Amino acid sequence: DPERSFPIDSSARWVGPAPGSGSVAGLRKLIRVAPVGFGANATGGGDAAATVVTTWDELKAAVEEPDAPTVILLPEGTYDFRDKPRTQQVCPSTCSNDATKPQYTVLVGTQKCAVALVDKQRDERSLSVGSNKTLVGLGRGAQIRGVTFDLSDRHNVVLRNLALYGVNPELIEAGDAFTLAKSSDIWLDHCTTKWISDGFVDAGTGSQNVTLSWLRLDGVTTQECNGEHTRACQLNDTTATVHHTFFDHVLGHAPRVDGATSQVHVFNNLLGDNLGYGVGSICGAQVLMEGNTLQRVANPTARDTCADDSALGAISAPAGSNYYGDDVGPHHGGDGKEPHDAVFEPAYPYTLEVPQDTWLNVLSRAGAGGPWAQPLSLD
């Protein structure tokens, strides 16, 4: 109501027609959405004309084009893009804490199985995302079942408001949600992952300039031994910023940073209900951990060497910066106290919030759709 005064302490001013003139006023609000941190230069498809896709063939054709700047929009809804089931030989085992609960692992590399392999079905697809691409789920988010997004050897990619789920959840080592390798200038924002065979977000082999923001990494699962996902976020030889992300019921890897060339900034995240460790650093990796909230986490940090007893991973958690709430145990890899190792200093601007003031925002707003997210289902 323009005839009523604004509060004295407000900077707002009426800029429309004079009261009583009978004219119509149009109000516009400009919101700038851009990445913060190492991935700040990611622009994806930039200002290219948007293409709306609804089928697997349309999505694949638009996203997998190698280099041309492209903006792809996927309307709100559920997309079951699983492939036809195919047979996979796997190694059977049982949980150490529950001998009645079976586990089935796809062998990789030189792994061996102590018992005879058995046949199981897998049905995921892999989507090779091209460089200079933006893919955005509209509305309350696009829910994509059975797809691994592979960003290997790609640069300048923006993926937002997507929920990836149901990638062979009954198997281990049978597909990630997001795979990065030698990737650069990547921004993953407001995405959700759940019921994924392997990693939620795995980056390695020298990935550079990655920002993970406002993700919901939902590890609640009946498929795994402890009821929590064990492979949430692995960052190998990677420079990355992880902020305002909810690590929910993940058994470690929140994130786990590996390699002497890794520099990872972890700030204003929420780690909740974690039976293992929270932020891990091994093999000379450097992690700056500030402004995070940890609740019911067995070990808030874990530092370790490589298998060859090389350098211990480094973590700097500035005194008084992080908030350790209910049922948080000792730090692992030292004297049990908060680590204050020497690590890198971020060369980019960012706003660090007080964790007690921001964790509720992360809880409600992280992930595809934020507070309006549609529930995921395997039915």
Side-chain angles (χ1 to χ4, degrees):
D1 181 357
E3 295 186 355
R4 301 183 64 181
S5 299
F6 289 101
I8 295 175
D9 61 350
S10 172
S11 62
R13 297 292 180 269
W14 179 253
V15 294
S21 67
S23 299
V24 176
L27 303 180
R28 182 177 67 176
K29 183 177 182 180
L30 179 64
I31 300 175
R32 180 175 182 268
V33 181
V36 172
F38 277 109
N41 290 328
T43 59
D47 58 1
T51 299
V52 179
V53 300
T54 57
T55 69
W56 170 253
D57 289 340
E58 291 172 347
L59 176 65
K60 182 178 173 66
V63 170
E64 293 193 344
E65 195 289 325
D67 295 303
T70 311
V71 175
I72 306 109
L73 306 179
L74 192 58
E76 173 187 311
T78 300
Y79 302 86
D80 189 342
F81 287 150
R82 288 176 293 174
D83 201 354
K84 294 180 180 179
R86 58 195 186 279
T87 300
Q88 170 75 61
Q89 284 201 316
V90 296
C91 181
S93 62
T94 58
C95 296
S96 60
N97 60 346
D98 183 357
T100 66
K101 192 169 189 177
Q103 298 285 281
Y104 301 100
T105 303
V106 177
L107 299 181
V108 296
T110 60
Q111 288 180 333
K112 304 292 184 181
C113 188
V115 298
L117 299 178
V118 298
D119 289 341
K120 299 294 287 186
Q121 298 294 305
R122 61 185 296 177
D123 56 11
E124 87 290 350
R125 294 180 193 259
S126 181
L127 188 67
S128 180
V129 181
S131 297
N132 307 309
K133 300 293 182 288
T134 295
L135 173 61
V136 179
L138 299 179
R140 291 173 291 180
Q143 300 181 341
I144 303 173
R145 182 174 184 177
V147 178
T148 292
F149 278 61
D150 188 354
L151 282 66
S152 300
D153 297 302
R154 305 302 189 189
H155 70 276
N156 193 26
V157 175
V158 175
L159 303 176
R160 306 185 64 233
N161 207 31
L162 308 172
L164 305 190
Y165 74 105
V167 178
N168 296 315
E170 69 285 354
L171 303 178
I172 299 172
E173 295 282 6
D176 299 330
F178 298 99
T179 298
L180 286 69
K182 295 182 180 178
S183 310
S184 62
D185 296 318
I186 307 297
W187 182 27
L188 307 184
D189 177 64
H190 280 90
C191 292
T192 297
T193 58
K194 187 172 178 64
W195 299 311
I196 305 296
S197 173
D198 195 17
F200 285 156
V201 181
D202 278 358
T205 321
S207 293
Q208 300 292 312
N209 300 326
V210 176
T211 289
L212 311 178
S213 61
W214 296 97
L215 307 184
R216 185 183 184 107
L217 307 184
D218 186 346
V220 178
T221 177
T222 60
Q223 304 287 346
E224 301 205 31
C225 294
N226 295 290
E228 296 187 348
H229 191 77
T230 60
R231 300 164 295 278
C233 183
Q234 176 79 32
L235 305 174
N236 294 348
D237 292 314
T238 295
T239 58
T241 301
V242 184
H243 71 90
H244 295 90
T245 286
F246 183 18
F247 293 91
D248 182 15
H249 285 83
V250 299
L251 193 70
H253 291 64
R256 182 178 188 262
V257 185
D258 185 349
T261 61
S262 286
Q263 294 183 344
V264 176
H265 187 194
V266 181
F267 76 91
N268 285 140
N269 301 286
L270 172 61
L271 285 67
D273 298 289
N274 186 329
L275 295 174
Y277 67 88
V279 178
S281 180
I282 68 172
C283 305
Q286 297 182 37
V287 179
L288 175 59
M289 175 184 172
E290 51 184 352
N292 301 285
T293 297
L294 299 94
Q295 298 176 339
R296 298 171 298 281
V297 178
N299 301 110
T301 65
R303 292 171 292 166
D304 211 338
T305 62
C306 298
D308 59 0
D309 294 327
S310 59
L312 190 72
I315 298 177
S316 174
S321 176
N322 299 286
Y323 174 70
Y324 305 99
D326 299 333
D327 299 325
V328 174
H331 297 266
H332 174 74
D335 57 7
K337 299 180 180 179
E338 189 176 57
H340 304 299
D341 302 321
V343 301
F344 70 100
E345 294 185 8
Y348 50 77
Y350 65 100
T351 300
L352 183 65
E353 300 165 347
V354 177
Q356 293 93 323
D357 294 341
T358 193
W359 73 268
L360 277 174
N361 281 334
V362 176
L363 181 65
S364 64
R365 292 174 54 195
W372 304 279
Q374 298 273 56
L376 299 173
S377 174
L378 293 176
D379 296 335

